[in-house]
Amino acid sequence: MPRPTRFAVSDIPQCVVQAGINWARTFNYRDDYQVYLESLRHAAAQYECELHAYALLPNRVQLLVTPHSEQSVPQMMQSLGRRYVQYFNRRYERSGTLWQGRYKSCLVEPGEHLLNCYQYVDTLASITGVVTNPIDYPWSSLRQHTGVANHFVQDHSSWMALGQEPAERFDRYQRLTATPLPKEMIKGINLKADPMRYMLYTTNPDTPGYIGALGTKLGDLGINIATFALGRAEKSGEAIALLGVDEAVAADALGEMPNPPQIRQAKALAF
């Protein structure tokens, strides 16, 4: 069967997850984690993908990244799969696949929701019960974000806004992660959309009348909506919309989109 179409989007943060086949272990010893982490750093740099946060759990990997080309994430994950699976199969004298199908990813809105995703990834080891205190887990980026370990991740401007100096950012983030995320927040934005040749990505506050106003504005610009998917983290919070449209959205049309607070970001996508 053909593989499903996958979104290829640049310059928008994404949360990426890949699990071991049948949720079996993909890391057994310290060396395994180190090999994967080094391969991840190499692939992220090679394919222009900013690595913001990571968690390497015994049977899954969770990443927070911003790609700078449409193929950054697919190429990074393909490179990782090739390098690490070859290493793992040689070491443990096995053959075949290691991962449960292809990786999954979702778009993340910059700002508060992105910081929540930072915290989710950095504390995933405690959320899933691998450890009690997330700072005790050496295979996530939490220690980097609290000043305990050398800082090699490339942080998003939303995280950098926590403070002027590194010490201030480390302190504020440590206090932030000291309070566990509520269960409803961990669910995050659940957004499902069927890929089309041309799409429009927008972020907006979850307020009444937004969908109608957006449809009216696009109609005025001569843009016909084919599909529409809206996701939000919580009522009256932040929302993300993915619209399938019949034709490419011109740059000058994006400039005429409603100003904040109706639309905080608008980006044309092509697949």
Side-chain angles (χ1 to χ4, degrees):
M1 293 179 63
R3 290 181 173 179
T5 303
R6 183 173 297 277
F7 289 108
V9 183
S10 64
D11 300 316
I12 298 174
Q14 297 184 35
C15 196
V16 180
V17 61
Q18 191 163 39
I21 188 167
N22 297 323
W23 291 92
R25 292 186 69 101
T26 53
F27 304 97
N28 292 317
Y29 298 103
R30 181 183 184 88
D31 289 352
D32 300 339
Y33 292 97
Q34 290 176 329
V35 168
Y36 187 94
L37 191 56
E38 185 58 33
S39 297
L40 172 61
R41 294 177 63 181
H42 176 84
Q46 181 178 2
Y47 296 109
E48 299 181 286
C49 206
E50 289 188 8
L51 176 63
H52 304 315
Y54 64 87
L56 312 184
L57 301 190
N59 61 1
R60 73 193 258 200
V61 172
Q62 192 98 26
L63 310 174
L64 183 61
V65 300
T66 295
H68 290 302
S69 77
E70 293 181 353
Q71 293 302 313
S72 289
V73 173
Q75 289 177 334
M76 179 185 72
M77 297 305 293
Q78 183 182 50
S79 174
L80 270 171
R82 183 171 57 250
R83 288 168 179 257
Y84 186 72
V85 172
Q86 288 176 355
Y87 155 81
F88 194 89
N89 285 351
R90 283 196 308 268
R91 175 165 186 175
Y92 297 104
E93 299 180 344
R94 65 184 298 277
S95 61
T97 185
L98 181 62
W99 305 107
Q100 184 77 44
R102 304 176 73 199
Y103 71 90
K104 296 178 174 61
S105 65
C106 64
L107 304 180
V108 181
E109 182 187 8
E112 182 179 357
H113 186 59
L114 182 60
L115 285 177
N116 290 337
C117 286
Y118 259 93
Q119 183 176 353
Y120 172 72
V121 174
D122 277 345
T123 62
L124 189 58
S126 62
I127 292 172
T128 56
V130 177
V131 296
T132 301
N133 188 340
I135 201 66
D136 293 335
Y137 194 69
W139 306 113
S140 81
S141 49
L142 178 60
R143 292 184 176 188
Q144 295 184 51
H145 288 133
T146 53
V148 177
N150 290 334
H151 201 98
F152 66 76
V153 291
Q154 295 178 279
D155 285 309
H156 191 274
S157 57
S158 297
W159 191 89
M160 297 295 289
L162 288 173
Q164 294 287 334
E165 300 295 331
E168 182 182 359
R169 294 191 290 268
F170 294 154
D171 180 66
R172 286 194 62 187
Y173 190 71
Q174 187 172 26
R175 285 187 277 116
L176 181 68
T177 56
T179 302
L181 287 169
K183 290 184 178 180
E184 61 272 14
M185 192 173 292
I186 289 175
K187 296 177 181 178
I189 292 178
N190 181 18
L191 180 61
K192 296 180 180 179
D194 295 325
M196 292 187 60
R197 178 69 180 90
Y198 301 109
M199 302 194 77
L200 181 66
Y201 164 89
T202 70
T203 64
N204 62 278
D206 179 36
T207 55
Y210 167 76
I211 296 176
L214 178 61
T216 299
K217 184 61 179 180
L218 292 176
D220 293 342
L221 294 172
I223 300 172
N224 187 51
I225 301 174
T227 62
F228 189 101
L230 185 71
R232 65 184 186 181
E234 57 184 344
K235 183 179 179 181
S236 301
E238 301 298 321
I240 292 176
L242 276 174
L243 295 80
V245 294
D246 291 337
E247 298 178 351
V249 180
D252 56 349
L254 288 178
E256 297 183 40
M257 298 294 286
N259 293 324
Q262 290 85 1
I263 291 182
R264 292 178 176 165
Q265 182 183 11
K267 183 177 178 66
L269 310 175
F271 303 101

